[in-house]
Amino acid sequence: MAVLPLRDRAGNVLLAVRPLAERELPSLPAALVVAVHAGAVLMMLDRRRRQWELPGGVREPGETCREAAVRELAEETGIHGVALTFAAVAEFALAEPARRESLAVYRTELATAPRLTLSDEGLGFRWWPPGDPVDADMSPLDAELAARVATT
């Protein structure tokens, strides 16, 4: 695992990954999902940023972080009906616009490889083993989150 803080090429910084009881989870703006199968983590190629990232996204009005994680996983990958475990809160210093933001991170262990469905947000999928190098086209921040959460 990398030493934090960790910076990406856009100037975003992963400041901390904190374990927390889900009942203590504050209202956060977004959630990510670390989906693990056979020791590898599902990454999707984001159409807008053109980099490999974890599935997830912004919470809609009235949603909990867990509901956002379930919805985003289904919308972005076609994965439905899997159990999610709350894993951590990830704290970031984001560059554009400059702000501090924390996200809820969930984990799911998939016994079988799911049938994946691309959304209009993604260009592809890959299973990334957390021990492998982080390619230049992969978000180092998401890769670090994946590595930390996949092994818990």
Side-chain angles (χ1 to χ4, degrees):
M1 280 183 252
V3 175
L4 300 182
L6 179 65
R7 182 178 303 274
D8 70 9
R9 65 179 180 256
N12 300 307
V13 181
L14 176 59
L15 299 169
V17 180
R18 292 186 300 114
L20 186 72
E22 189 172 16
R23 68 181 177 281
E24 298 171 10
L25 187 64
S27 179
L28 301 175
L32 299 174
V33 179
V34 177
V36 182
H37 171 65
V41 174
L42 180 63
M43 304 296 275
M44 61 176 279
L45 183 58
D46 182 87
R47 181 179 301 275
R48 187 172 51 89
R49 286 180 290 276
R50 304 283 184 185
Q51 68 179 0
W52 294 98
E53 302 176 343
L54 293 168
V58 176
R59 212 172 36 88
E60 292 183 353
E63 271 186 329
T64 65
C65 290
R66 177 178 291 277
E67 290 166 340
V70 168
R71 178 184 48 77
E72 288 286 346
L73 184 64
E75 287 176 2
E76 293 180 354
T77 69
I79 297 173
H80 296 270
V82 297
L84 297 182
T85 303
F86 177 69
V89 171
E91 299 174 6
F92 296 90
L94 301 176
E96 293 294 325
R99 67 195 184 281
R100 288 267 179 131
E101 191 166 278
S102 295
L103 307 177
V105 183
Y106 290 84
R107 181 185 194 284
T108 187
E109 183 80 31
L110 305 170
T112 59
R115 183 171 171 258
L116 299 169
T117 306
L118 276 175
S119 72
D120 59 351
E121 294 179 43
L123 295 172
F125 298 107
R126 72 185 272 195
W127 292 97
W128 176 70
D132 282 7
V134 177
D135 299 331
D137 61 350
M138 181 178 285
S139 165
L141 310 184
D142 282 22
E144 182 63 23
L145 282 172
R148 287 172 182 247
V149 170
T151 58
T152 59

